[in-house]
Amino acid sequence: MKPKSRRFTLQSFTDVGASILAILAGLLVGFIIMLISNPSQAVDGFVAILTGGVKDMKSMGQVLYFATPIIMTGLSVGFANKTGLFNIGASGQFIVGAYFAILVGVQATALPGPLRLVLALLAAAAAGGLWGAVPGLLKALLNVNEVIACIMMNYIGMYFVNFMVVRTVFDSLKNQTTRVPSEANLPKWGMDQLFRSGASASSVNSGIILAVIMAVVIFIVLQKTRFGYEQKAVGLNRDAARYAGISQKRSVVLSMVIAGALAGLGGAFLYLSGSGKAIDVVDVLAAEGFNGIPVALLGLSNPIGIIFSGLFVAYLTVGGFNMQLYEFAPQVIEIITAVIIYFSAFALLVKNIVERVRRKRQEAADTAKPPDPPPGASPPVKEVPTA
Amino acid sequence: MNIVYFLVQQTMFFSIPLLIVALGGMFSERSGVINIALEGTMIMGGFTGILFIHTFQDALPGQPILLLGALVAMATGVVVSLAHGYASINMKANQVISGTAINMFAPAFAIFVARMIQNVQQISFVNQFRISSVPVLGDIPVLGPLFFQNTYITTLLGLLIWGASWFVLYKTRFGLRLRACGEHPQAADSVGINVYGMRYAGVMISGALAGLGGLVFIIPTSTQFNATVSGYGFLALAVLIFGQWRPGRILMAAFFFGLMKAIASSYSGIELLRSLPIPSDVYKMIPYIATLVVLAFTSKRSMAPRAEGIPYDKGGR
């Protein structure tokens, strides 16, 4: 079927086009804000944002390091989105997963390093999954709006982790969690040696590879399994899915559990990276969870797209560090990201315009075509290619 | 008895902003637009309002500057809400995504501008707005200490807004039309109501009230603004849902959550609660757990506006 395949490519082209337009709009607003606040440094600062991620090998390593957790939370938000749920609770799932990963990493000293690491990752996924299961169950059984439930679980998770950290793995001098011994951290696999500049190595580690593997796994689950098909069916049309015999309640709960587990693993990947990162005991929600939202949106909830959008947002983050050399507050990057999300919400409009143009051309082509050719007439002239 | 007075006064500080913001959310959602941007709008309103007070607090006396600051906060809220309205009404965008963008933008913008102006992100202000006792009314036994001592002019403002909201929503032509647009916009359109216009009105009212709520939240609970309203916009959304999108129940819901918050923040001042072996983090969790429990019991028979969250398309069927 020729028209079908063409529609498919046109569709994905407009989708990607909308994302790119949103990115350009975000960068433009960021530049304007920099221009207003400090005109003399704005161009240099903006160039620093754009080029900071490829300045040297270490910066490239840092991009991979920052991309790791947000690819995971992006996958979390994106997977729930495929089932028609908005998982704004990745922040809580992320931090709870991070806490249990650290807890196992620090305290399960009876186990040898690699085994402890595996157990820590499993604990993180389980804790995140549990945190996701609560809004999932509330939604499925009691019709509680998942957005509100997720937001509440974010705050409960933050206070719960603060409560637990102080009682289990607390470094009271630094007011944060104690350091995880290096044998329980994610292995570097030589990546820190590859991505370094001079004597200082970047924080990149095998987490980025695990994150990419998880993305591929989620891609396969969504595209090639019956389970993934059912999840997508519920997201696309709830009533049709129910008519086809798919249990919505089961789909909603499983979707939130898997989304939570992905975010929880993201927490483990960041805090077991051996970069000295530790959970601070402060009343602030984990930003990595919220950054999963733009990553998922820009990646169009497609796991492979999310790898790239995660790298892009991490690239902006590293660029933002470079921009601070020109005395701009790092919040410029958050403003840019927010504007990108805002405009990516317009994707529908772009799609509609393209669709309308396409339909008009189709109609024009249809009317231009002669009515049924009389029998015996000469074969019609080869069709003029439309669009 | 002093504890009761203290707790009621504290509850007021927390309930009134929740009430104002939830009423704002009500206007938006009854017109058919989900407004998850309440949190970000509160931050923006609090930011400009406090910035205004910070700038002019030496030049003007206490109560007038507070009221002027409230106007500034409301105007800011309207501007922010226009961004949300444009995305969700004209552009037919996903309303949750647009709201999330505003929630992300607001604190970053507030910190950025504060640092640009004064190098630190916290904006301090002198709290000269507390009314230790309202003349005449404050002297009434029992009721005086409960409601008219250690209070703020914004408390009265909040209750006035509640009364006005109820009246506007149920007793005016505007309110009826607004509700129609949230229930069945096609029917409203067919009798000549401008659905887009009504939805803009709903979103702008919600922006004004959320902006005001941001300022009202900061004034009694702090002496500086640090680009956050501690998730109050989200709590207000929960109040709105618990209150079933109706002013009367929203009032009750706001006081319920206000009480929870008051206990969480001031339990150490209450002998009975302090003596219990419960750590502070657990008290901090209580409002959020209570929200979940309450929603679990009330969401089954949800009376949400039917067309809420669905962009209105004139050409649609």
Side-chain angles (χ1 to χ4, degrees), chain A residues 4-357:
Chain A
K4 193 178 169 190
S5 71
R6 194 187 64 199
R7 192 177 308 150
F8 176 73
T9 51
L10 189 69
Q11 181 80 36
S12 33
F13 175 75
T14 36
D15 284 351
V16 173
S19 283
I20 289 173
L21 277 180
I23 289 170
L24 291 178
L27 290 172
L28 184 68
V29 171
F31 182 59
I32 291 171
I33 284 180
M34 290 166 79
L35 212 52
I36 294 169
S37 70
N38 188 352
S40 60
Q41 300 267 53
V43 174
D44 289 342
F46 193 67
V47 169
I49 294 180
L50 292 183
T51 60
V54 287
K55 203 177 60 179
D56 49 32
M57 285 306 272
K58 189 191 173 193
S59 298
M60 283 154 81
Q62 289 304 98
V63 170
L64 297 177
Y65 168 68
F66 285 113
T68 308
I70 57 176
I71 286 176
M72 294 306 294
T73 51
L75 284 174
S76 168
V77 177
F79 187 81
N81 196 21
K82 284 280 182 197
T83 323
L85 299 167
F86 185 54
N87 177 23
I88 198 172
S91 180
Q93 297 147 12
F94 175 88
I95 202 69
V96 172
Y99 165 70
F100 278 98
I102 293 175
L103 183 70
V104 172
V106 172
Q107 296 207 328
T109 41
L111 295 170
L115 208 60
R116 209 190 316 165
L117 173 63
V118 171
L119 187 68
L121 293 180
L122 288 177
L130 182 71
W131 231 249
V134 174
L137 284 168
L138 286 173
K139 169 98 182 175
L141 301 178
L142 297 164
N143 190 31
V144 175
N145 182 321
E146 85 275 10
V147 175
I148 300 287
C150 278
I151 290 167
M152 296 302 134
M153 289 305 284
N154 281 344
Y155 285 97
I156 297 170
M158 173 185 76
Y159 289 124
F160 170 76
V161 168
N162 286 350
F163 172 78
M164 293 300 291
V165 164
V166 175
R167 281 158 185 77
T168 50
V169 284
F170 191 47
D171 179 346
S172 55
L173 281 179
K174 295 181 182 163
N175 193 35
Q176 62 185 25
T177 48
T178 44
R179 196 167 271 242
V180 179
S182 58
E183 73 267 19
N185 277 325
L186 288 164
K188 295 278 187 190
W189 288 349
M191 291 173 74
D192 56 332
Q193 297 307 312
L194 178 62
F195 292 102
R196 67 186 300 151
S197 57
S200 73
S202 62
S203 307
V204 67
N205 55 70
S206 53
I208 181 69
I209 293 168
L210 295 178
V212 170
I213 291 173
M214 288 310 297
V216 173
V217 168
I218 295 294
F219 181 78
I220 292 169
V221 166
L222 279 172
Q223 299 296 331
K224 302 289 175 199
T225 67
R226 178 183 159 159
F227 170 72
Y229 181 81
E230 289 184 351
Q231 296 297 100
K232 284 192 293 182
V234 171
L236 287 171
N237 190 333
R238 219 151 258 230
D239 297 326
R242 190 171 56 193
Y243 187 69
I246 299 168
S247 164
Q248 279 181 65
K249 290 181 179 174
R250 184 170 158 271
S251 292
V252 165
V253 175
L254 282 177
S255 175
M256 283 306 295
V257 168
I258 292 171
L262 288 167
L265 265 181
F269 288 173
L270 180 61
Y271 288 93
L272 295 181
S273 60
S275 64
K277 181 97 178 153
I279 301 178
D280 293 312
V281 181
V282 286
D283 289 359
V284 177
L285 294 175
E288 288 83 359
F290 290 106
N291 286 337
I293 297 169
V295 169
L297 289 175
L298 284 181
L300 307 164
S301 298
N302 176 320
I304 307 303
I306 285 168
I307 298 175
F308 289 102
S309 57
L311 287 170
F312 171 73
V313 174
Y315 185 86
L316 278 187
T317 310
V318 173
F321 291 132
N322 279 280
M323 173 202 69
Q324 283 174 267
L325 297 174
Y326 300 94
E327 291 166 4
F328 288 101
Q331 277 72 28
V332 173
I333 300 301
E334 284 165 46
I335 292 176
I336 291 176
T337 321
V339 174
I340 291 175
I341 306 182
Y342 182 74
F343 283 105
S344 68
F346 289 7
L348 184 70
L349 181 85
V350 179
K351 233 182 275 181
N352 281 348
I353 291 173
V354 173
E355 184 69 17
R356 206 174 301 155
V357 170

Side-chain angles (χ1 to χ4, degrees), chain B residues 61-195:
Chain B
Q63 303 306 334
I65 196 177
L66 178 57
L67 292 176
L68 283 175
L71 285 180
V72 170
M74 290 173 86
T76 311
V78 170
V79 172
V80 174
S81 70
L82 283 176
H84 183 57
Y86 181 70
S88 33
I89 299 167
N90 294 94
M91 290 287 146
K92 303 181 175 44
N94 182 326
Q95 298 168 5
V96 175
I97 295 176
S98 153
T100 305
I102 290 172
N103 288 339
M104 201 170 197
F105 176 85
F109 183 80
I111 293 175
F112 183 80
V113 175
R115 284 175 70 158
M116 205 172 90
I117 298 173
Q118 51 166 26
N119 289 322
V120 281
Q121 68 184 54
Q122 291 89 353
I123 306 171
S124 59
F125 64 94
V126 181
N127 188 341
Q128 48 185 351
F129 317 115
R130 200 173 67 89
I131 302 168
S132 57
S133 179
V134 179
V136 185
L137 293 173
D139 299 330
I140 303 171
V142 186
L143 285 182
L146 273 181
F147 298 113
F148 300 108
Q149 285 183 12
N150 188 17
T151 185
Y152 286 84
I153 200 164
T154 49
T155 303
L156 180 67
L157 198 63
L159 294 173
L160 284 178
I161 286 172
W162 176 75
S165 299
W166 179 84
F167 183 80
V168 167
L169 196 66
Y170 288 125
K171 299 292 167 195
T172 64
R173 191 154 62 177
F174 171 80
L176 182 66
R177 290 179 171 182
L178 188 87
R179 284 183 285 144
C181 292
E183 291 295 333
H184 202 309
Q186 286 81 4
D189 198 4
S190 73
V191 292
I193 297 172
N194 180 351
V195 176

